[in-house]
Amino acid sequence: MRILGTIAEVRAAVRDAKAAGRSVGLVPTMGAFHEGHLSLMRAAREQNDLVVVSLFVNPTQFAANEDLSSYPRDEARDAALAESAGIDILFAPEPAEIYPDGFATNIHVAGITEVLDGASRGPHHFDGVATVVTKLFGIVQPDVAYFGQKDAQQVLVVRRVVRDLNLDVRIEACPIVREPDGLAMSSRNVYLDADARAQATALNRALDAADAAHRSGESILSGAQAVLDEAGIAVEYLELRDAETLQPVTVVDRDALLLVAARVGAARLIDNHLLRGVAR
């Protein structure tokens, strides 16, 4: 595995691969790798000849009051894990490589970024995501890019960018990877102490309760809220949204996402379940 820090180096490596007719997969990450990240890398490794993993804690998607300075970082550990997954290139640029002096371009996706995490974290968040992902696509020019379904809204934003800007890349959303007790894997789970770690399992249990309520024709949100209330978790949002447009829904007659965000201990956590539509 090669660890590259400049755009020019990555472009040269990809150019050589494409000239040889090799397919290219990209896994964009902010590091602090866990099994969720590794599942994306394995999927990319199985489906592509050359696999690039980007490791970049993107400053533009953090608000001033968020955890940019404390976000978990361990490049040596991440590099070892990426190499063990068979990755060819770890692209680990400095911020100035991605955002040089005078950088003044921003990509905004209207409609699906103002709700849920966009409302909780601010409009800058998905602007930062859309901009950095578009830059990575331009740098790496992948055939396929891999994202985790845990960040369901982010996946929809990236898909919209690709559609609207006619980018020649396929977006592959990979299933959420969970701990044995159901907690969705996240780099921010390291912020949880023992009590908060136990409390956090209520997020997935609430979504499971909602799934059960959906199948039995009962109130989806009420079932989830009851589990969260019992665990003493006050949510930022618990909402049922159309799985493609993120418009609010009350009847699941087409695929919908039940999404939750909450601060548990020192960590802000998100999770979601896909509820399959039932024609009425």
Side-chain angles (χ1 to χ4, degrees):
M1 184 182 75
R2 288 182 288 170
I3 301 176
L4 305 180
T6 70
I7 293 169
E9 290 173 316
V10 173
R11 281 182 166 161
V14 170
R15 185 164 52 249
D16 289 345
K18 286 184 174 285
R22 303 174 70 198
S23 59
V24 178
L26 170 66
V27 182
T29 83
M30 294 206 302
F33 293 159
H34 50 67
E35 184 59 29
H37 295 108
L38 295 178
S39 72
L40 303 181
M41 295 180 203
R42 286 191 288 267
R45 178 71 286 162
E46 290 173 3
Q47 298 173 18
N48 299 274
D49 300 315
L50 180 78
V51 179
V52 180
V53 171
S54 62
L55 193 169
F56 180 64
V57 181
N58 178 36
T60 64
Q61 68 190 68
F62 289 78
N65 62 343
E66 292 185 320
D67 59 339
L68 174 60
S69 62
S70 61
Y71 193 84
R73 292 169 170 86
D74 190 339
E75 186 174 321
R77 174 182 174 276
D78 287 344
L81 288 171
E83 188 164 27
S84 72
I87 299 311
D88 300 296
I89 294 172
L90 184 67
F91 177 40
E94 293 295 325
E97 182 73 8
I98 301 299
Y99 300 113
D101 287 344
F103 185 86
T105 300
N106 189 55
I107 294 178
H108 175 70
V109 179
I112 59 172
T113 60
E114 293 86 358
V115 300
L116 302 168
D117 262 23
S120 293
R121 300 187 64 178
H124 69 281
H125 173 64
F126 285 118
D127 289 359
V129 169
T131 302
V132 76
V133 167
T134 302
K135 285 181 67 71
L136 289 170
F137 289 170
I139 294 164
V140 179
Q141 297 187 346
D143 298 289
V144 191
Y146 298 80
F147 295 83
Q149 185 60 31
K150 182 178 74 70
D151 298 294
Q153 188 175 8
Q154 174 177 275
V155 171
L156 291 175
V157 170
V158 172
R159 288 191 192 280
R160 188 67 59 84
V161 169
V162 168
R163 187 198 72 178
D164 290 355
L165 300 183
N166 304 112
L167 303 181
D168 190 16
V169 54
R170 177 167 61 86
I171 303 304
E172 187 78 21
C174 297
I176 298 171
V177 177
R178 299 184 180 278
E179 301 284 359
D181 59 10
L183 179 65
M185 289 192 176
S186 168
S187 298
R188 290 184 169 96
N189 288 353
V190 299
Y191 298 157
L192 299 169
D193 61 23
D195 290 342
R197 175 66 180 74
Q199 186 184 28
T201 62
L203 294 182
N204 184 54
R205 287 190 282 110
L207 297 177
D208 283 341
D211 280 341
H214 170 54
R215 290 192 297 271
S216 63
E218 300 173 3
S219 172
I220 294 171
L221 291 176
S222 295
Q225 189 65 61
V227 174
L228 296 166
D229 289 344
E230 183 179 0
I233 294 178
V235 300
E236 285 186 9
Y237 60 76
L238 173 66
E239 297 193 31
L240 189 61
R241 298 271 178 161
D242 183 274
E244 294 183 3
T245 67
L246 292 184
Q247 290 297 306
V249 298
T250 55
V251 176
V252 185
D253 53 3
R254 53 183 287 174
D255 289 356
L257 286 165
L258 181 63
L259 307 105
V260 63
R263 185 163 290 280
V264 181
R268 182 185 184 276
L269 304 177
I270 61 173
D271 203 346
N272 68 86
H273 278 201
L274 177 67
L275 305 182
R276 291 297 182 183
V278 178
R280 296 179 184 271

